Amino acid sequence: MSLGFLSISAGATARSPLLDAALGGGARSEVRDGWEVVSSFGDPTAERSACIESVGFADLSHLTKLELQHDGARPFAAGEALRLPGGWRCPVRPRLDLLLAEPSAAAALRPGLEAEGRVCDLTGSLGALAIAGPLAREVFARFCALDLREGSMPVRGFRPGSVARTPGYVLHERPERFLVLFGAAYGQYFWEVVADAVERLGGRPVGTDSLPAIDEEPARA
Amino acid sequence: MSGGRLAENGGQRIRRGEELRFTFDGDSRVGLAGDTIASALYAGGQRTFSRSFKYHRRRGELCGCGQCANSLVTVDGAPGVRACGEPLRDGMQVEHQNAWPSLELDVMRATDLVGGPFTPPGFYYKTFIRPRRLWPLYEKVLRSAAGLGKLRRRQPEREWRTEYRRRHCDVLVVGGGIAGLSAALRAAQLGADVVLCDEDVEPGGSLLFEGGHERARDLAARCREAGVEILTRAPGLGYFDGLVPVWQGDVLHQVRAARHVAATGTLAQPLVFPENDLPGVMLAPGALRLAALYGVDPGRCAIAGVDDRALETALSLHRLGVQVAVVADLRPDADSELTAALETAGIELMRGVTPVRAGGSKQLAEVQVGPVDPSGRLRGSARRIACDVLAVAGPQAPASSLLLQSGARARFDDTLQSFLPQEAPPLIHPAGAVAGHADAESAMLSGAVAGAEAALALGFGEREDRDRLASERAKLEAEAPTVRRAAPPAKSHDGGRGKAFVDLDEDITAKDVAYAAAEGYDSLELSKRYTTVTMGPSQGRFSQLASARVLGEVTGRPLGEIGVTTARPPWTTVPMGALAGRPFEAAKRSSIHARHRDLGATVRWAGDWRRAYDYGDVEGETMAVHEGAGLIDVSTLGKLIVRGPDAGELLDRLYPNRMSTLKPGRIRYGVLTSESGRISDDGTVCRLDDDTFYVTTTSSGATAVERWFTWWMASWPELDVTLTDVTQGVAAMNLAGPGSRDILAKLTDADVSNEGIAYLDGPQLAIAGIDCLVLRIGFVGELGYELHCAAPQARGLWDAVADSGARPFGLEPQRILRLQKMHILVGQDTDSETTPYGANLDFAVKLDKEQDFIGRWALEHYEERPPAQKLVGFTCPGGEVPTEGAAIVEGDRVVGQVTSSRRAPKLESSIGLALVEPRLAEDGASISISDDGRRIAAAVQTRPFYDPDGELLRS
């Protein structure tokens, strides 16, 4: 495959662009699907509570991100992402979609996508942070001018735009949970910006295991 | 003299029994919970709050709502706090500012007593221009003499945290008076997402101190129930194409609304007469607020005004238990229900009179009132009225700054004697007093109309809501206000001495404005700039109308012709730090960055990246590349994937050379030019397969090249090609040096011999178990391999290569190494006029290729003519390293410029690149470099300083 060097190979562990910052903040990590993933910050109960009562943010940069350039009709509306098994298909431009998937689910998606158009692996190009909790929108309001109100950005809403003064994307994954994608080279900067906003609002960084599942009913404090 | 508190009433904010202790200039004071600093001081007998800006005159409470400069104090070390708007806190340390040695005895008062005639407007422009060399001294003295407080000395004490909050909403209501609350409630009831901001500590506006506090608080409660987000102590700072920054303490809300309701109300205006700045002369709403909200007894009051507001103020103060001595109404025929009520209350009403002088030493003791002629001069004799407070109710002026910033026009209304905003843009709905609906009932109705208009325009509401709006509009129009208001003179006076101020912030008198007009500054904008009138902390709230009246009088022009000055943000003074943003820099870092830190790298900015410049030993790192193997992180290079059957065709159209003829797995250098044939970027192109190319660009040019490609792809829709920027997703590192092949051999099973990977080959191999694209190129001039891999795995690759014997080297050694090879840095060794011919890149231009390409026309032209400048190498026999940018001269004539220069340890000489006139581009030509006052002799060299035939690269 001529673009194989863009993808994560089996020979070494992959590291998120946010990992150093997370480890510096007390993160505990383990290797999953070839990635060193932050599973917790040492207190899963408090982390889970933060996502229910205030806000938590977690590094999901290990998600596979595939760019699909195609010339077919899109099966879903502009500005609205399509839920796939283990992932999302997000419209960026009329002929360009971004596929997000757990690494374990990505391999199954890829053949179908390649039949549709040209696929390019952007996993390493984009960092990803989930921001979850009732104050998630307030967190975004601290560094992002996108209108993320429910009426403008309902669940499944997907929007490219400026996030923390850099080009990015925001996906409304479920009530009170957003996924923000940004240039991987901005990883440390992004961590600083989001941590600053979250901690000011009483939230905290959380491990991926503490995030509310996308398809789970929202819990209430 | 007055003092203490009035009896309790339902509208007061203070909580009696909850005492707060604070200090004022070190003296212990006591206030009540709910007080402002000013109300607590006033209740304790303090009348002088500050000294004025220029003349250091005593200044006291004026507006009572935090909008003037009279009550500026320093609180806990922070200067510029408005005492009449700042809630009192226990333990506060309040100090005066701009007076020395004390507020009571200020030696700079001499400027008022003796310096007045010598300090007309513009005196410092005229006085301090000679001798010029003394200006720095003058400036220092002037700056320390004037001023509005002193910043804390230590930087950490000056810092505080500002939160920035972006808020989208359907309707933003600016102003929380009855009109604003009514607008917000109606819009929210129709389903809109509404934000309301107000400057006071609670919404309600003048209702709160004019007897309508219950109604105001009920309305605010209903707004909250309807979901309105109410921001208090939160002025809207300006209007920026729909964005309204709202400053609330330590939070700057950036509110972007689909519709705006401007319910900003009106501003009480002062009257101009001698000594009108004495402590005790205050605006009527200021006196009312003190009495109604804080239960402060202001003492014996006189009221002066031009319309019914003076009468209403008198009655309100009387109801609150304040002793009202007299009401001086400029209208000779004032007669209404209010006049009867005054009579019933036993308050004397003087018709057709206005203040002509205030009297008192440290504070107001009396006011003289009498009839005046149209020029403001006293006719007959004045009557002296002993009083502690003169509450002035001049013509109300709409607080129209936001509306005017949004594009509305100000038109003078003779009846209202003020400038009314008109022709507001369609997305903005004026409501309440700012729109001319001053009384409570019509203000409330106009608010409801504005709120409904805003919400319905956004698609909220039903048919019946539209019908209701129509009937309310009709009712509002039918209730057009009938105001009877006298036009005050520009200045009323008794013919005696004394300063009559039009601007208390800047100490500008009516005489100053007339003086400036006589000097030719006879338009309001010029007068403003010459005298600084309206430029103080109040932003002209209380001085614009007064100064316009004076200018109108001295120039003989009507007020409508004088106009108003341009409304500019911010509406309220706001700390500069609040506008600065959080202290985070959007820096890019490679995925290996933390390892560079571990290795002790010197990290510096390179474009928008943070990069390792060196690891502490530039020479050692450079020599390691020559003698063994070095490793540098070049992840910052731009990287593009160009794919599709027409990918080669696209590149042929963008580059001057042929890319479509590249074989898969091979690399070619390419230079990009603009349509005018000037170099814009350069890099390599590697063909990955028949339809896929991997393009690298310079680090700083990555974004521009991606946009350049995208632009042209949009122009050539017939090409089946796609582009993906993978700059941040692919890490790259250059393994270079004679030992690099051996290191590579340790990390892969592939054949890495010169036959296995030849110069300009681009195979894909697993290196240390990581899939890599290996580009055999040689920017640093030694045998080298650029290893490109997925960024998340790059640190593992770096560690593996370094552990195998490659020494990390930074950007600075790389610059030395590439300079030895005369490899250019676009932007440093080229400028906006440099063509490939001027940069010795003729080999990269193929004018014989069949495709048209960007810049072809220009390059055909330049091929036939020598370039204006040519890039050459030079050596400095004396060993000097000239400054980059230094001029190359012949006598006094500049004939070129140094673009790069370094000392090369391998060559043990000083080398560089320069753009020179073509006649000098000969081997051995002598050139002279003028560098910071010295002349450096240098010799031109046209071939690379190191490995000129490229044998090492190809070995």
Side-chain angles (χ1 to χ4, degrees), chain B residues 860-916:
Chain B
E860 285 173 345
H861 173 82
Y862 289 118
E863 190 199 24
E864 297 166 3
R865 292 166 180 76
Q869 288 193 313
K870 203 154 175 64
L871 192 68
V872 297
F874 67 82
T875 57
C876 298
E880 304 95 331
V881 179
T883 307
E884 290 174 347
I888 295 165
V889 296
E890 279 182 348
D892 292 333
R893 199 168 73 85
V894 175
V895 295
Q897 185 181 18
V898 175
T899 62
S900 296
S901 57
R902 290 289 189 279
R903 181 184 174 278
K906 174 75 174 175
L907 307 174
E908 296 184 335
S909 67
S910 163
I911 60 172
L913 286 172
L915 284 165
V916 297

Side-chain angles (χ1 to χ4, degrees), chain B residues 555-567:
Chain B
T555 61
R557 286 179 289 156
L559 266 177
E561 196 178 309
I562 296 292
V564 294
T565 54
T566 304

